[in-house]
Amino acid sequence: IDGAYSMKAISDTGATYVLDKVLCCDKSMDIAILRFESKTKLTPLTLHAEKELKRGASVVAIGSPKGIKNTVSTGIISNSYTENSVPWIQFTAAISGSSGGALFNDNGDVIGITSATYNDSMAQNINLAINIVAAKAMYNAWDGTYYSFTNHKTYASFDYNGVYDDPYVKAEEPPVPVEWVCYNCGQVNTSPFCIKCGIE
């Protein structure tokens, strides 16, 4: 957002939404939280900050490389780690030229903000996103002050206590009903009592 006076978001249908204020930002994290100029009636995406991301889990990246809006690519999580206090997600979905996009999990929740990719021949398909926990922690620490694009702080507070969400737990499959044939009338049942003659 450095050097900007305002910004805009453009939908697939061409609708334009102007962003006019900075709530908070952190240059080292490469994250800025901005305010829309007016009510948009847009439904916010769900943010899911999981501490122990599973390697091999599917991800979807959406960005705008070379100005091509809302480009979608798929991949998997390769690793997650923290370096210099920055919580990184390494993944394989292509993001060349579209940092700042959303990284989604299989449930359609945002788990990261795409940030960087290695371009040298010795580091193929290494793409990085900031774990969304950083954005959630920034917003939680926001002091309620609105700043302009030309006059804002370049650092933010981060307190990750209570910000991480519980990991998804796979729901247990419901038990398969056991079929039995009534010895009295021959009715096939899945309930404890015969639906035809009532014998247990």
Side-chain angles (χ1 to χ4, degrees):
I1 64 173
D2 281 353
Y5 289 92
S6 67
M7 300 184 76
K8 61 184 178 180
I10 304 173
S11 73
D12 277 342
T13 59
T16 299
Y17 305 96
V18 176
L19 298 124
D20 65 342
K21 295 292 183 183
V22 179
L23 278 63
C24 48
C25 69
D26 190 278
K27 198 164 187 175
S28 64
M29 291 276 186
D30 195 22
I31 296 175
I33 298 178
L34 312 176
R35 185 190 78 168
F36 282 108
E37 187 177 48
S38 58
K39 291 183 179 179
T40 64
K41 297 183 180 178
L42 297 172
T43 303
L45 295 168
T46 300
L47 309 183
H48 183 75
E50 199 167 316
K51 200 165 190 176
E52 301 295 334
L53 292 167
K54 292 181 176 63
R55 295 179 188 180
S58 299
V59 291
V60 174
I62 300 181
S64 300
K66 303 293 184 181
I68 304 171
K69 291 182 297 184
N70 297 332
T71 298
V72 177
S73 60
T74 61
I76 61 168
I77 293 174
S78 304
N79 200 359
S80 61
Y81 59 93
T82 299
E83 185 175 72
N84 298 325
S85 300
V86 180
W88 293 105
I89 302 171
Q90 180 191 340
F91 61 98
T92 62
I95 59 163
S96 300
S98 63
S99 65
L103 185 69
F104 297 86
N105 62 15
D106 264 352
N107 294 295
D109 302 332
V110 180
I111 61 170
I113 302 169
T114 60
S115 181
T117 186
Y118 287 91
N119 290 320
D120 62 272
S121 60
M122 301 298 291
Q124 295 178 9
N125 217 18
I126 296 179
N127 306 302
L128 300 171
I130 305 287
N131 192 312
I132 202 65
V133 70
K136 292 183 72 172
M138 278 177 62
Y139 184 77
N140 286 352
W142 176 50
D143 63 6
T145 305
Y146 292 102
Y147 301 92
S148 68
F149 280 84
T150 56
N151 182 25
H152 60 81
K153 295 178 180 179
T154 57
Y155 60 90
S157 299
F158 293 91
D159 180 3
Y160 297 129
N161 291 322
V163 180
Y164 281 103
D165 297 301
D166 292 332
Y168 285 106
V169 178
K170 186 177 180 181
E172 291 185 11
E173 296 291 334
V176 177
V178 177
E179 288 188 344
W180 59 281
V181 179
C182 178
Y183 61 85
N184 184 53
C185 67
Q187 173 71 37
V188 178
N189 302 282
T190 57
S191 58
F193 294 88
C194 177
I195 61 173
K196 189 172 183 180
C197 68
I199 289 179
E200 186 174 4

